[in-house]
Amino acid sequence: MAEAKGRKTAARGRVELRKGPPAREPQVPLPPYFNIAPDAALAELEAPLTTAGFAEIARSCAQGREDLAARGLDEEGRKSLRLFSTWEITRYLIPVATAHFRRVLKANPDLPQGISETEGGAKWFALDEVLRLRAHFAAEGSKAKEYRPYRPAGLPAKMVAVANFKGGVGKTSTAAHLAMSAALDGYRVLVIDLDSQGSMTSIFGGRVADEWGTVFPLLARHYAGHLQSENRLRVARGDPPVPLDETLNEALKIRAGDLIAKTHWPNIDLIGAQLNLYWAEFQIPVWRMQGRSWKLWDALTDVLAEDGVLDGYDVIFIDTPPALGYLTINGLAAADILLVPLGASFLEFDSTGRFFDMLHSTFRSIEEGENIAARALGREELSFEWDAVRAVLTRYDGAQQGEMAALMQAYMGRTMAPERQDFTALIGQAGEQVNGIYEADYRDFNRDTYIRGRETFDATYAAFKRLLVGIWRREELAAAEAAE
């Protein structure tokens, strides 16, 4: 019995020997927000910032902006558009075989012949030369090919507003690349920057000294014209006229052509913006209070039509501020087509839904306010209308956002364009060089990378062009039917 007990004890002892001391748990570092020493934190802290400090930060940013923007400038301090190779022209711009393109140039020495960087190397052409070549092929080439884009005669330019009140959704980038795409396609393009941040203006190399180089004087002129009409009625009633101040009198002298600037693209012009344009958001409501019957939402449309701008271009792109203020309302009311860029995330989807809700509230309020008087006077009622409205997915990552994009598409239906604007290495590098992707030289990339980068924006432009062509065709048929 004792022997058995001893064996058991021994066995138990062996078990205890095998266990050994308990294993020590590995030390997990604490999160960085624990154990911050107050004195060390104080030592890192700078002095409190005064109002003057904002000016110092602004000066530093301005210097950085100028240095970065200089990457895209030529020796004379201006932006210049790169040349286009025979490969690019025959692949993307003029639908002919490369060998046929060369034969046509050889047979027509009066046409632009391009330049070679090396003897026997590829030929390179400026865009205005490409436009001349396109015109030649349109006149002499196959009638079955589209050398020039569809554009019905006798119809005004189409205005396209790109808007969303959430920043960082690719609004300005989308507007700029669509403008460049349309220009490469052969359309005459005007870009109007309504955003006082002036990002679109920077992309196209614009320089605007103050608010008098922006759309502000055009809006002021529209109000001044309204005030003059009201004054004539006052005088007819025997009431004293309301005097026009210096700003309004000066604005009456300015036409849209005074503000339109050439860019480094031969067929893209610009009405630029700068910080002082934001003053319009404070001045317009003052004018509206003084002139209750002033239709401020018609200001941009009316002055562009009056100054013949709609007849001088094919497409007008309007870049709006990331807020639903008076400038945005003018841009949206002027637009025939509304594009709303957004990313494939819940927050951007949610914000964009609220943006559409605010658009409904704002324009419904304007309609209801105007139509009370219209019904009382027996006039035609006001009703805003857009030829097409599309949401466009930007900065898309198919590997991470496919499910969210599909859900958004299901909820928004036809309002959301099915094309996705992918983010590629081409887009990132072009942005670092303060250029659009169409301004990037494909020799700076792997050619496959360049082709993939172009494909996503080419698809976005193709979707937009289908809208544009369809709308123009609808109006062309309606005009022909009305003439019968």
Side-chain angles (χ1 to χ4, degrees), residues 90-161:
T90 56
R91 181 182 176 100
Y92 295 112
L93 305 179
I94 301 177
V96 295
T98 303
H100 178 61
F101 180 80
R102 291 190 177 118
R103 284 195 297 270
V104 170
L105 293 189
K106 188 174 181 179
N108 296 273
D110 56 319
L111 290 176
Q113 298 295 307
I115 59 173
S116 296
E117 296 180 346
T118 59
E119 188 173 347
K123 291 290 187 70
W124 295 79
F125 300 79
L127 183 56
D128 55 354
E129 294 177 319
V130 176
L131 297 175
R132 283 180 57 195
L133 291 169
R134 176 181 275 141
H136 174 82
F137 279 98
E140 305 294 335
S142 169
K143 302 306 178 186
K145 292 185 177 181
E146 182 187 271
Y147 295 108
R148 283 178 167 167
Y150 173 77
R151 171 68 163 99
L155 294 178
K158 282 297 174 187
M159 291 198 276
V160 185

Side-chain angles (χ1 to χ4, degrees), residues 111-400:
L111 290 176
Q113 298 295 307
I115 59 173
S116 296
E117 296 180 346
T118 59
E119 188 173 347
K123 291 290 187 70
W124 295 79
F125 300 79
L127 183 56
D128 55 354
E129 294 177 319
V130 176
L131 297 175
R132 283 180 57 195
L133 291 169
R134 176 181 275 141
H136 174 82
F137 279 98
E140 305 294 335
S142 169
K143 302 306 178 186
K145 292 185 177 181
E146 182 187 271
Y147 295 108
R148 283 178 167 167
Y150 173 77
R151 171 68 163 99
L155 294 178
K158 282 297 174 187
M159 291 198 276
V160 185
V162 184
N164 198 329
F165 64 24
K166 182 172 177 56
V169 296
K171 177 178 56 64
T172 298
S173 175
T174 299
H177 283 109
L178 285 174
M180 293 176 189
S181 298
L184 290 173
D185 202 17
Y187 286 120
R188 298 164 299 167
V189 176
L190 174 66
V191 174
I192 300 178
D193 194 352
L194 295 183
D195 189 348
S196 58
Q197 296 177 86
S199 298
M200 180 72 88
T201 303
S202 295
I203 288 172
F204 286 104
R207 296 180 181 273
V208 182
D210 53 34
E211 68 273 19
W212 288 94
T214 71
V215 299
F216 172 75
L218 300 183
L219 306 182
R221 190 184 103 205
H222 191 268
Y223 174 67
H226 165 79
L227 198 54
Q228 287 178 325
S229 298
E230 290 291 300
N231 279 340
R232 285 191 286 271
L233 295 175
R234 288 188 179 93
V235 170
R237 294 194 304 264
D239 297 330
V242 176
L244 276 66
D245 61 24
E246 183 179 351
T247 295
L248 297 179
N249 277 311
E250 190 65 28
L252 286 170
K253 306 172 187 175
I254 296 177
R255 294 295 176 267
D258 301 326
L259 307 173
I260 293 173
K262 295 293 181 183
T263 72
H264 57 296
W265 286 71
N267 52 347
I268 299 180
D269 292 342
L270 170 73
I271 297 180
Q274 60 100 245
L275 192 60
N276 288 358
L277 177 58
Y278 193 70
W279 183 56
E281 297 289 358
F282 300 96
Q283 185 60 57
I284 290 174
V286 173
W287 292 335
R288 177 68 169 161
M289 290 293 291
Q290 294 171 347
R292 289 286 188 175
S293 58
W294 176 46
K295 295 176 174 52
L296 66 92
W297 48 86
D298 285 339
L300 186 60
T301 310
D302 288 349
V303 293
L304 292 178
E306 182 180 335
D307 293 352
V309 174
L310 303 185
D311 299 323
Y313 296 91
D314 301 314
V315 191
I316 299 173
F317 289 95
I318 303 170
D319 187 37
T320 64
L324 194 53
Y326 293 104
L327 291 169
T328 301
I329 288 172
N330 259 280
L332 294 174
D336 302 294
I337 299 172
L338 170 59
L339 302 179
V340 183
L342 74 159
S345 74
F346 169 78
L347 291 179
E348 293 188 38
F349 180 49
D350 178 53
S351 175
T352 300
R354 297 176 193 275
F355 175 65
F356 279 113
D357 188 38
M358 188 170 286
L359 289 182
H360 169 260
S361 299
T362 300
F363 285 100
R364 173 62 68 188
S365 175
I366 294 172
E367 288 173 344
E368 290 176 349
E370 287 295 299
N371 290 337
I372 291 173
R375 285 190 289 270
L377 297 172
R379 295 200 302 252
E380 183 180 356
E381 295 188 13
L382 172 67
S383 178
F384 291 100
E385 185 176 83
W386 291 266
D387 290 324
V389 176
R390 289 291 184 275
V392 181
L393 273 186
T394 60
R395 300 171 293 110
Y396 178 64
D397 181 351
Q400 303 291 329

Side-chain angles (χ1 to χ4, degrees), residues 403-482:
E403 182 180 359
M404 187 66 196
L407 288 170
M408 293 166 65
Q409 188 79 60
Y411 283 112
M412 298 189 75
R414 289 176 61 88
T415 301
M416 176 168 283
E419 293 75 18
R420 313 284 190 246
Q421 206 173 91
D422 298 326
F423 188 88
T424 68
L426 173 63
I427 298 167
Q429 188 168 332
E432 292 176 6
Q433 299 300 321
V434 201
N435 285 324
I437 64 162
Y438 295 112
E439 296 176 314
D441 191 326
Y442 68 84
R443 293 172 295 178
D444 295 335
F445 306 87
N446 174 285
R447 187 172 290 197
D448 289 339
T449 299
Y450 179 82
I451 291 171
R452 286 196 304 272
R454 274 202 62 139
E455 281 175 351
T456 184
F457 279 90
D458 286 348
T460 300
Y461 175 64
F464 164 75
K465 187 179 176 182
R466 283 195 296 272
L467 290 178
L468 180 68
V469 168
I471 292 166
W472 262 331
R473 182 58 174 162
R474 181 168 62 193
E475 294 183 358
E476 186 180 31
L477 292 174
E481 184 178 346

